[in-house]
Amino acid sequence: MRRRAAGTRGPGRGAEPGAGAAPAAGAGAPLVVGVGARRGVPVGEVLDLIADTRAATGLTARPVGALATVEAKAAEPGLTGAARRLGVPLLSFPAAALAAVRVPGPSAAAAAAVGTPSVAEAAALLAAGPGAELVAGKRKSTPHGRPAGVTCALAVPADAGERALTAGREGAATAPARGADIVMTSPNPPRRGPDRRPGVVGDQAPDSETTGTKETQ
């Protein structure tokens, strides 16, 4: 694992509720949020989509453990800023590593744009580790008067006890992946065992649902 940029910020003043803190009893394993972003997306749009997705799936009590994305978006201010606000690490993976993860609806448009048919879903699954479960498929932001700037998906580690959209081998890479780069560190990073592979946030864009620019897919 290569540390690209360091910084620490806990979930104190300014941190979003339910993020970065140790899970409460019965709260379950932390969520890994895969994200894909358009250049220049505002931090608020990223945070709003994550909050809306957690609410829509009934997972507001589940803490966020990490954000994950494709390597090409690792320095996107909207993503690094969102990770800082949440008090969690932003993990990034090479496009080739994300392309090896099977997802429900791979997108040819995304593959052409960023080198992987999925960013958000693939990053969430890869970051959550082997056998991870996708508990919320890709969702898009809905800013007024302009295309979506961000997409996200939610995954949990294997055996987390959630009803999954994608599980088992669906969430495993079909080829060895290089370790993720940690773009931003946190006092509460997601737990990893010797058999756990770090991942990245990204997003998958089914061709039938392509909205906005290819950068967000």
Side-chain angles (χ1 to χ4, degrees), residues 147-167:
V150 64
T151 56
C152 82
L154 308 179
V156 292
D159 302 321
E162 291 293 333
R163 182 176 180 181
L165 301 176
T166 303

Side-chain angles (χ1 to χ4, degrees), residues 32-45:
V32 177
V33 183
V35 291
R38 182 182 183 188
R39 185 179 297 112
V41 63
V43 171
E45 186 173 342

Side-chain angles (χ1 to χ4, degrees), residues 73-200:
K73 293 294 179 178
E76 179 60 45
L79 299 186
T80 59
R84 184 177 295 112
R85 286 277 299 275
L86 291 167
V88 300
L90 171 63
L91 309 176
S92 69
F93 286 98
L98 297 184
V101 179
R102 286 179 288 179
V103 296
S107 166
V114 294
T116 172
S118 171
V119 179
E121 290 181 346
L125 288 167
L126 194 57
E133 300 175 343
L134 192 66
V135 293
K138 187 190 73 172
R139 294 172 63 95
K140 294 171 278 195
S141 59
T142 55
H144 181 69
R146 60 179 174 82
V150 64
T151 56
C152 82
L154 308 179
V156 292
D159 302 321
E162 291 293 333
R163 182 176 180 181
L165 301 176
T166 303
R169 287 177 296 176
E170 284 288 331
T174 57
R178 194 187 79 190
D181 289 336
I182 298 180
V183 179
M184 187 176 304
T185 60
S186 162
N188 302 290
R191 296 181 59 187
R192 299 188 184 93
D195 63 341
R196 178 126 324 165
R197 188 165 52 242
V200 300

Side-chain angles (χ1 to χ4, degrees), residues 9-15:
R9 178 167 177 170
R13 182 180 300 178

